[in-house]
């Protein structure tokens, strides 16, 4: 009987393994609060009358938002190193976390840092959508020149 590579992979190293979406949100909201979650993730369920139950309901229906929250949980709350390019292509729950990577303490996040990050993302999006992504012009824009 052949054993595939997947039989040897320990998916339990992923902190999302066996964690319900509700419990994930309880942990995140308890540590950061809805205002920080909205500031970093820009998902309206964390802004308009936020609650755990309404957020769970929305995230269960909305794959992109759920994956964004799960990635935030792994890389901000659990402070794991960013996933490899290959693993990044997979949804967060399907990613393999190497056994030598153990979750750390939640990162300290602030509304001020979220605003700086938002501005950085807006500039990057503007450069991307203006079509100046290729060639020297994009590199100069990225370097603030």
């Amino acid at each position: 009987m052949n054993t595939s590579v997947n039989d040897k992979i320990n998916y339990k190293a992923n902190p999302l393994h066996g964690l319900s979406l509700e419990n994930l949100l309880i942990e995140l909201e308890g540590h950061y609060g809805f205002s920080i979650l909205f500031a970093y993730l820009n998902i309206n369920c964390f802004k308009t009358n936020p609650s755990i139950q309404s957020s769970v309901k929305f995230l269960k229906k909305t794959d992109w938002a759920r994956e964004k929250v799960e990635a935030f949980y792994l890389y901000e709350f659990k402070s794991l190193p960013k996933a490899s390019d290959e693993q990044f292509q997979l949804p967060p729950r399907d990613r393999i976390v190497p056994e030598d990577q153990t979750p750390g303490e939640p990162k300290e996040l602030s509304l001020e840092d979220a605003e700086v990050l938002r501005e950085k993302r807006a500039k990057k999006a503007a450069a991307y959508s203006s079509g100046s992504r290729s060639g020297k012009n994009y590199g100069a824009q990225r370097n603030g020149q």
Side-chain angles (χ1 to χ4, degrees):
M1 178 177 181
N2 283 342
T3 56
S4 70
V5 174
N6 288 342
D7 291 340
K8 297 177 184 175
I9 294 171
N10 181 5
Y11 287 96
K12 291 181 182 178
N14 185 327
L16 294 169
H17 180 80
L19 179 65
S20 72
L21 188 55
E22 181 176 10
N23 287 337
L24 178 149
L25 285 172
I26 289 169
E27 282 188 64
L28 288 177
E29 195 281 325
H31 186 79
Y32 292 120
F34 284 119
S35 59
I36 290 283
L37 293 177
F38 175 73
Y40 277 83
L41 297 170
N42 197 26
I43 300 173
N44 279 334
C45 70
F46 299 135
K47 181 181 181 186
T48 310
N49 298 320
S51 74
I52 298 294
Q53 296 309 324
S54 65
S55 297
V56 166
K57 186 176 178 181
F58 172 76
L59 294 172
K60 280 187 175 182
K61 296 187 295 188
T62 316
D63 290 344
W64 68 264
R66 183 181 61 254
E67 289 178 8
K68 194 173 183 179
V69 170
E70 289 174 346
F72 180 86
Y73 181 86
L74 289 177
Y75 306 115
E76 301 301 325
F77 187 67
K78 290 296 184 179
S79 296
L80 288 170
K82 295 291 184 196
S84 67
D85 290 343
E86 180 182 308
Q87 288 295 310
F88 187 75
Q89 300 301 317
L90 300 171
R93 284 195 183 266
D94 294 341
R95 293 181 189 165
I96 299 164
V97 176
E99 289 186 30
D100 64 334
Q101 292 181 3
T102 55
E105 293 298 312
K107 291 182 181 173
E108 292 299 319
L109 305 176
S110 70
L111 292 174
E112 295 80 17
D113 290 343
E115 181 60 23
V116 169
L117 184 61
R118 189 196 62 74
E119 289 171 5
K120 201 172 173 182
R121 287 176 178 162
K123 284 181 185 175
K124 191 174 180 179
Y128 183 82
S129 66
S130 71
S132 57
R133 184 177 159 98
S134 62
K136 294 177 185 175
N137 190 21
Y138 178 71
Q141 282 181 337
R142 218 176 58 201
N143 294 326
Q145 300 170 345

